[in-house]
Amino acid sequence: MLVNAGQTGQRWIPAKNVPEKNRILCFLAIQAMSNDNGKNPMPNDKDNDDLVFTAFKNMDLYGKDHNVLSGLLGMTTCSERSCEFQKFLQRLDTYPTAERESHLFEIGSLLTTNNCAFLDLATNQSGSHALRTLFRRSPALDHLIFLSVSMNFFSLMTNLARVETGCLALNEVFQEIRGKYRDLIFKRVAKNADWLSFDHYGTHVVQNFLTLENPGATAAIAERLCGCFFRLAKERQGSYVVEKCLKSCFAREIVLEEFRGNDQEWVRMANDKFGNFVAQCALKVMKEEGMTPLLREFIEKLRPYFCTMKIGYGKNIVRLIQEDIERCL
């Protein structure tokens, strides 16, 4: 439960400005939260006069606050009333500063009273747009919205990873965050590494994590990707994920074990447009790490296909083996 005006007994609490980086991340989070294209309507989208507070069952609101919240939700979550909400904010802009700030803080207090309510509001298409409209109108209001986003961050993170700007913002945060929250983020990314690695932007988040060389997180990501390495290797972005796993001492064995267990897929990967780069990486890593017996085993699996490989994507692998690796065996 967030601290709001009703709990403190004050109408408006001045708040320190939210740092610019946090403002940006907050805005991106709110934008990413609205991923349902209107398929997750709020209770007051229903065509009746009674507001059904199914999403707000934990809220303790009576009388004036209940009526105000009802009207506010009606304007923020119904697409037909978006113009009404805009006009409401325009009227507020004409108020004296202190009165305007007070009203904005009350709005923020009502919308962030309950975490579940805020999350439901933010994942509604119209509600998310309304929150973005409110953002940066008042330092105190920004503070309330930022706190709500922070408290729901781990629920939002995987959605953020699938948005280009969100992916960039998350990677920047990962470089700076320390302590228990860093570990929690590692666990969340590792848990979702399988589908993130196949996502156009999510793959960059996984790749960034692998370069951080966190033993537990790297091993967890590799374990989560078990059974996917051949398929990932044949995709442009996915191939980078596999290569980073191969170059990490915390994930390498898991990848090589999967490659070793399927001769047919190993040959197919070596002849694939993107997979051949992964195969080259695997051979180079085994050579550099002195894994000679295993290296010979992988080469012998390819040798019967050298003639056909020379006229396709596998030609670079044949050249690598004949001109570089075999000289050292």
Side-chain angles (χ1 to χ4, degrees):
M1 187 76 72
L2 299 179
V3 176
N4 60 33
Q7 292 171 315
T8 61
Q10 300 179 17
R11 289 182 60 81
W12 174 57
I13 303 175
K16 294 181 179 179
N17 288 338
V18 177
E20 184 63 20
K21 183 184 296 183
N22 291 347
R23 285 173 175 267
I24 295 171
L25 183 58
C26 181
F27 184 84
L28 292 172
I30 293 171
Q31 188 173 33
M33 288 164 79
S34 180
N35 63 348
D36 66 342
N37 296 318
K39 296 179 181 179
N40 179 31
M42 292 291 282
N44 47 314
D45 281 334
K46 303 180 185 300
D47 296 325
N48 56 54
D49 296 329
D50 296 324
L51 180 63
V52 183
F53 281 93
T54 55
F56 302 90
K57 59 185 178 181
N58 295 323
M59 298 180 70
D60 185 20
L61 296 172
Y62 300 97
K64 180 182 176 182
D65 282 347
H66 186 287
N67 293 331
V68 172
L69 181 60
S70 174
L72 187 58
L73 290 174
M75 287 189 289
T76 55
T77 62
C78 295
S79 57
E80 295 82 4
R81 300 183 63 187
S82 59
C83 291
E84 186 179 344
F85 183 61
Q86 292 293 337
K87 291 179 180 178
F88 171 72
L89 292 178
Q90 289 173 5
R91 286 199 304 273
L92 274 185
D93 289 339
T94 65
Y95 289 11
T97 302
E99 187 177 358
R100 173 178 171 275
E101 292 284 345
S102 177
H103 282 298
L104 286 172
F105 184 78
E106 286 185 351
I107 291 172
S109 297
L110 284 169
L111 294 181
T112 61
T113 297
N114 179 280
N115 286 335
C116 293
F118 176 79
L119 195 57
D120 283 340
L121 174 67
T123 52
N124 171 270
Q125 189 177 40
S126 297
S128 174
H129 178 74
L131 284 174
R132 296 199 300 272
T133 302
L134 287 170
F135 200 56
R136 287 190 171 179
R137 283 183 169 270
S138 159
L141 179 58
D142 284 358
H143 185 66
L144 287 175
I145 295 175
F146 176 66
L147 284 177
S148 289
V149 171
S150 298
M151 295 181 76
N152 290 287
F153 180 75
F154 293 104
S155 299
L156 307 176
M157 193 177 66
T158 49
N159 283 336
L160 273 173
R162 304 182 73 173
V163 182
E164 181 178 9
T165 47
C167 166
L168 295 173
L170 284 175
N171 280 337
E172 183 179 349
V173 171
F174 296 155
Q175 296 292 340
E176 298 186 12
I177 195 169
R178 295 291 183 271
K180 64 178 182 179
Y181 291 108
R182 182 184 178 92
D183 294 334
L184 286 172
I185 292 175
F186 277 143
K187 290 179 181 178
R188 177 56 65 95
V189 170
K191 184 178 180 180
N192 293 277
D194 46 356
W195 66 264
L196 280 174
S197 296
F198 286 98
D199 185 79
H200 185 67
Y201 296 116
T203 181
H204 295 289
V205 174
V206 177
Q207 290 176 46
N208 184 57
F209 265 58
L210 291 171
T211 59
L212 297 177
E213 284 290 299
N214 178 283
T218 302
I221 289 173
E223 289 172 3
R224 186 70 179 183
L225 293 177
C226 275
C228 300
F229 288 118
F230 280 118
R231 191 154 58 97
L232 275 172
K234 296 175 185 177
E235 296 198 3
R236 184 183 184 88
Q237 296 298 336
S239 64
Y240 293 121
V241 173
V242 183
E243 286 186 31
K244 290 186 186 308
C245 286
L246 284 167
K247 293 176 181 178
S248 171
C249 61
F250 307 117
R252 182 181 306 129
E253 290 185 10
I254 297 175
V255 183
L256 291 177
E257 189 63 29
E258 183 167 322
F259 287 172
R260 192 181 188 187
N262 194 323
D263 295 357
Q264 189 176 31
E265 284 300 318
W266 166 247
V267 174
R268 286 177 180 171
M269 185 179 75
N271 286 281
D272 182 77
K273 180 179 181 180
F274 301 116
N276 82 90
F277 293 105
V278 176
Q280 290 181 61
C281 178
L283 295 173
K284 290 177 181 177
V285 166
M286 285 185 279
K287 176 191 172 185
E288 293 168 0
E289 296 299 322
M291 305 167 72
T292 305
L294 190 60
L295 177 59
R296 285 199 180 102
E297 181 182 330
F298 274 97
I299 290 175
E300 292 308 314
K301 291 178 180 181
L302 296 175
R303 195 177 298 280
Y305 306 94
F306 276 6
C307 289
T308 55
M309 288 175 67
K310 288 180 179 179
I311 58 174
Y313 291 114
K315 60 185 178 183
N316 292 326
I317 294 179
V318 176
R319 185 183 302 114
L320 173 68
I321 293 173
Q322 294 179 337
E323 298 180 5
D324 184 17
I325 295 178
E326 286 190 327
R327 293 180 180 179
C328 303
L329 292 178

